[in-house]
Amino acid sequence: MKKQLRSNWWKYLAVLILPVILWTTVFSLRSRPDGNERLRILLVGEGADTAALQADLETALPSLTAQTLREITVTQETPGNGVPYGEWLISRQFSYDILLVSEPWREENMGQKYFSRLRDPLVARYSSVPQYTETADGNTLPYALMLSGADTRLGSYLEAKDGAWLLFFSPESVNLGAENGKGDRTDDAALAAAQYLSEEIH
């Protein structure tokens, strides 16, 4: 018996540990919010008070959308580790609903390279907000909203007020009121957040 225990001790240990790992994993997965229960915003650049913005969105969004959110996250990041910028931007669209790009990180024709153009209902919804456009096949098309650091609510969370940030909606988001062909029409938290950020302040 002792000989068997010595040679097979790891099997007995696995029998004890495996159920704990499985149980913990199941509960972790169940507690994770679904895509339409979370809103994630990425600021590509530096000098933003993401903690204050996140806290203010948590306070403001319940009155701006009927969508139930269990998690609101605002992150600031810049690419690194030798990853090509375009690949990095595209990968972030699978994790974030809104990507805000500061002037130092703009790239020529980045809208048509990495994002989707704004559809007509979104253009109409944000008609009072300046839009970032690009020319493709002889047509001028909108790809993002342009938020001034000096005149919009976004600017109140920025160290540098000069310049404009481009607000791109992720084509993968399920929180755009189905305006990108994904999600449900009632899940519009990303649209509400964009409205909040683009409001003019004086």
Side-chain angles (χ1 to χ4, degrees):
M1 181 71 173
K2 286 183 180 178
K3 187 177 181 182
Q4 185 179 359
L5 279 172
R6 264 197 309 266
S7 61
N8 295 311
W9 65 269
W10 61 273
K11 292 179 183 175
Y12 295 103
L13 186 63
V15 167
L16 292 172
I17 293 176
L18 203 56
V20 174
I21 293 172
L22 288 172
W23 192 254
T24 306
T25 303
V26 167
F27 269 96
S28 174
L29 290 172
R30 288 190 66 183
S31 65
R32 185 180 301 163
D34 290 333
N36 67 337
E37 295 176 319
R38 60 175 173 77
L39 176 70
R40 293 184 176 166
I41 298 174
L42 174 65
L43 283 80
V44 182
E46 298 172 341
D49 188 346
T50 55
L53 175 52
Q54 181 173 309
D56 287 351
L57 282 171
E58 287 169 351
T59 302
L61 282 178
S63 64
L64 300 176
T65 177
Q67 184 177 348
T68 301
L69 295 171
R70 292 172 53 203
E71 175 190 300
I72 298 172
T73 306
V74 180
T75 307
Q76 183 173 244
E77 195 179 343
T78 54
N81 299 324
V83 179
Y85 184 45
E87 288 180 21
W88 182 85
L89 270 181
I90 291 170
S91 71
R92 293 306 182 268
Q93 294 175 40
F94 291 92
S95 303
Y96 293 93
D97 301 285
I98 291 174
L99 289 87
L100 285 150
V101 180
S102 62
E103 280 193 15
W105 291 98
R106 282 194 204 171
E107 189 179 281
E108 188 176 357
N109 293 326
M110 66 186 303
Q112 51 195 302
K113 284 181 186 174
Y114 312 125
F115 295 92
S116 298
R117 73 175 185 86
L118 295 178
R119 295 189 179 186
D120 291 342
L122 291 180
V123 172
R125 181 181 182 125
Y126 301 102
S127 60
S128 62
V129 180
Q131 294 173 2
Y132 164 75
T133 61
E134 295 176 2
T135 302
D137 298 325
N139 298 309
T140 301
L141 303 172
Y143 286 90
L145 306 179
M146 291 185 71
L147 307 189
S148 164
D151 303 321
T152 63
R153 191 186 298 273
L154 171 67
S156 60
Y157 304 98
L158 303 175
E159 287 177 11
K161 309 295 183 187
D162 56 326
W165 289 61
L166 300 183
L167 187 154
F168 291 98
F169 293 108
S170 168
E172 302 301 323
S173 175
V174 294
N175 298 313
L176 294 175
E179 294 297 350
N180 60 344
K182 299 188 178 185
D184 190 276
R185 289 219 167 268
T186 58
D187 293 335
D188 61 353
L191 301 181
Q195 192 71 51
Y196 176 84
L197 292 169
S198 64
E199 285 177 2
E200 288 190 8
I201 54 173
H202 300 286

